[in-house]
Amino acid sequence: MKILITGGKSAQSLKLIKTFADDHIVLADYGDVPSFPSARYYFISLGERNDEIIAHNLLNHCLNEG
């Protein structure tokens, strides 16, 4: 199963990866995100933060990532 974790650049989200040992993790955050290969997780950018459309933005990314 794919799991989306927002705030992907934070230390807390990286620690949370250990909880989902058998799942594929998508780490999402606003702005620039690191891009390095990993078999267990990858980063996506949510673009620039806009609080007026945050729910719509998250839903679109969830649908795009499956």
Side-chain angles (χ1 to χ4, degrees):
M1 172 182 358
K2 280 190 176 180
I3 308 278
L4 174 70
I5 300 175
T6 57
K9 295 185 284 187
S10 70
Q12 292 173 342
S13 65
L14 295 173
K15 289 179 184 177
L16 193 57
I17 291 173
K18 297 175 186 176
T19 306
F20 303 103
D22 298 328
D23 298 308
H24 298 285
I25 308 296
V26 179
L27 296 168
D29 212 332
Y30 291 101
D32 295 332
V33 294
S35 61
F36 54 88
S38 174
R40 296 207 41 236
Y41 60 91
Y42 60 95
F43 286 90
I44 62 169
S45 175
L46 297 174
E48 294 300 317
R49 185 178 176 119
N50 183 347
D51 290 338
E52 293 179 13
I53 60 167
I54 193 165
H56 177 73
N57 191 15
L58 284 174
L59 176 62
N60 278 341
H61 283 285
C62 287
L63 293 173
N64 289 341
E65 294 297 322

